[in-house]
Amino acid sequence: QQGIRLLNAFKKMDSFSTLDNSTLILSNAVKALTDYQDFLEKDIIANANGNFANGEESYQQILQYKHLIDVDLEKITQFAEKLFRQTKAELQALTIKIQGNSDYLTLFNQLNQPNSDDVLASYQTSLSQLHAFIENNSDLFSENSMMNVTVHPLPTELEAIYPDSLILKNGQSYCAMIEKKYSEINIMHQCVSQIMPGALPQASNSIPRQLNASLLTTNGWESFCETMMIEHHYLDQPENQFIFLFNKLKNTFAMLIDIDIHSQNLTIQQAETKISAEFPNIKAINIIQQSRQPCQQTCAVLGEYILSNYLRLLKIENNDASFKTLQNKIISNEALALPLLIQNDGKKYWEKIIKNIG
């Protein structure tokens, strides 16, 4: 239904209506989706029972054959549990340093409060600062570090469908939508994680990428960018470190929920209870929806860990290795599946990294 609404909205937009045969093409697309909707309602929904879990064996196979993580699921779960405990301890210690007590949920609520009357201006200011930092540190970053993007409100026809989103333009072309943030510190982190490096190679449609795709590269890259910008003192305030650790804690918890739903018979209702107990200020549905694509959150956490440790190993052998070194490897390999990219450098790297996970 949302797809149909979206296509009908496109038909009303001037930028589409001026294209040859655009109305006919969009009308045909709407009819195809409408026919598909009828099929789902009449033939599928009547026999469907709602959400379902993949099961432990299937989840393990997705990790092994789609994302090339050949580690026993029990060991991956233990890795995530340990990471969650470590991150929580770091977050509590930092919260004490910032506000004198360990109540990180209260601090997150404070930092998450809207503090900008002009959200678009805040995005443009943050993007300009990020561009300037990368240009002034060309020895650290690839020349492909950022697309020439600008942030815009959605066209009126789309705003009704996606009220909490903004749209990115690369030159004159729309390239992506992002969730609208309202606090300046969250806007700063979003510009680093979602607009900065990696957007182009992540979206690569090359044959190597399609044959060897893995969410480890794309999902892990977002948090990895934040890690690097903290290390290079762009995100240099204690509050920046706090936002990073809070998101890392939430993502690791979401990974554990994902594993439990698909392999340990955790029900949606039980998941909602666990999420509300740990993160009462986070909508449980946002975490649960991620589990509809099994391993998505698991790959985000593992991907960031693998990228960070791969760069650490590169630096051990070569003091000149940097974020730019790894960034160029990913771009030149068209965002190839991360395990394959690392093994191309030598299996010794991959064996050391995977040993730490399992």
Side-chain angles (χ1 to χ4, degrees), residues 39-155:
F39 162 72
L40 291 176
E41 290 176 345
K42 294 176 182 178
D43 298 345
I44 301 298
I45 290 179
N47 299 310
N49 294 316
N51 295 308
F52 65 92
N54 279 59
E56 183 174 353
E57 182 178 356
S58 176
Y59 194 92
Q60 180 83 63
Q61 288 177 342
I62 293 172
L63 279 175
Q64 183 172 351
Y65 296 110
K66 183 175 182 179
H67 303 298
L68 308 179
I69 297 292
D70 190 10
V71 177
D72 185 76
L73 186 57
E74 182 179 354
K75 292 183 178 180
I76 290 177
T77 304
Q78 292 171 355
F79 165 84
E81 291 171 342
K82 180 180 179 181
L83 182 63
F84 182 82
R85 292 192 299 269
Q86 290 175 339
T87 305
K88 191 171 188 176
E90 290 180 47
L91 185 62
Q92 289 173 329
L94 181 60
T95 304
I96 292 172
K97 180 179 177 181
I98 294 174
Q99 68 175 20
N101 62 61
S102 61
D103 185 1
Y104 55 82
L105 293 173
T106 297
L107 180 55
F108 176 77
N109 285 334
Q110 292 171 358
L111 294 176
N112 209 35
Q113 290 300 311
N115 53 9
S116 173
D117 294 328
D118 191 338
V119 173
L120 284 175
S122 295
Y123 271 97
Q124 296 297 359
T125 298
S126 186
L127 278 175
S128 296
Q129 292 171 345
L130 187 54
H131 270 289
F133 183 84
I134 290 174
E135 288 177 0
N136 293 333
N137 293 274
S138 58
D139 57 322
L140 301 176
F141 302 97
S142 165
E143 62 182 12
N144 297 312
S145 283
M146 289 185 69
M147 296 181 293
N148 183 28
V149 296
T150 50
V151 184
H152 304 268
L154 266 66

Side-chain angles (χ1 to χ4, degrees), residues 142-179:
S142 165
E143 62 182 12
N144 297 312
S145 283
M146 289 185 69
M147 296 181 293
N148 183 28
V149 296
T150 50
V151 184
H152 304 268
L154 266 66
T156 304
E157 296 84 357
L158 299 183
E159 191 171 16
I161 303 174
Y162 304 103
D164 292 318
S165 297
L166 297 169
I167 199 162
L168 303 179
K169 290 181 72 174
N170 184 13
Q172 295 300 312
S173 303
Y174 294 124
C175 56
M177 281 198 302
I178 57 172
E179 181 185 356

Side-chain angles (χ1 to χ4, degrees), residues 141-286:
F141 302 97
S142 165
E143 62 182 12
N144 297 312
S145 283
M146 289 185 69
M147 296 181 293
N148 183 28
V149 296
T150 50
V151 184
H152 304 268
L154 266 66
T156 304
E157 296 84 357
L158 299 183
E159 191 171 16
I161 303 174
Y162 304 103
D164 292 318
S165 297
L166 297 169
I167 199 162
L168 303 179
K169 290 181 72 174
N170 184 13
Q172 295 300 312
S173 303
Y174 294 124
C175 56
M177 281 198 302
I178 57 172
E179 181 185 356
K180 187 188 295 183
K181 302 290 185 180
Y182 294 92
S183 73
E184 291 189 359
I185 192 166
N186 275 316
I187 289 172
M188 187 179 188
H189 279 258
Q190 189 176 47
C191 287
V192 167
S193 67
Q194 295 188 30
I195 304 175
M196 198 192 134
L200 288 178
Q202 285 179 15
S204 171
N205 290 317
S206 68
I207 291 177
R209 166 70 184 157
Q210 292 181 44
L211 292 177
N212 300 283
S214 171
L215 292 177
L216 288 169
T217 312
T218 54
N219 290 20
W221 191 251
E222 295 179 6
S223 296
F224 179 65
C225 286
E226 288 186 84
T227 303
M228 290 298 99
M229 295 303 272
I230 289 172
E231 183 177 313
H232 294 312
H233 308 294
Y234 177 75
L235 302 173
D236 60 351
Q237 298 301 308
E239 289 79 8
N240 292 124
Q241 179 73 12
F242 175 88
I243 291 294
F244 170 75
L245 285 174
F246 185 89
N247 288 334
K248 184 176 181 179
L249 187 74
K250 183 185 69 174
N251 291 342
T252 307
F253 187 75
M255 172 182 175
L256 289 166
I257 290 291
D258 185 52
I259 292 172
D260 284 350
I261 284 177
H262 288 286
S263 69
Q264 300 300 318
N265 299 317
L266 184 73
T267 67
I268 297 299
Q269 291 74 22
Q270 290 169 336
E272 290 174 345
T273 301
K274 290 185 70 171
I275 295 166
S276 297
E278 192 70 45
F279 295 100
N281 52 349
I282 300 293
K283 291 182 180 179
I285 189 65
N286 292 341

Side-chain angles (χ1 to χ4, degrees), residues 313-329:
L313 291 173
L314 289 174
K315 287 180 176 180
I316 290 174
E317 289 202 355
N318 180 2
N319 289 332
D320 294 330
S322 64
F323 177 73
K324 182 176 183 178
T325 307
L326 184 50
Q327 191 179 359
N328 285 336
K329 283 179 181 290

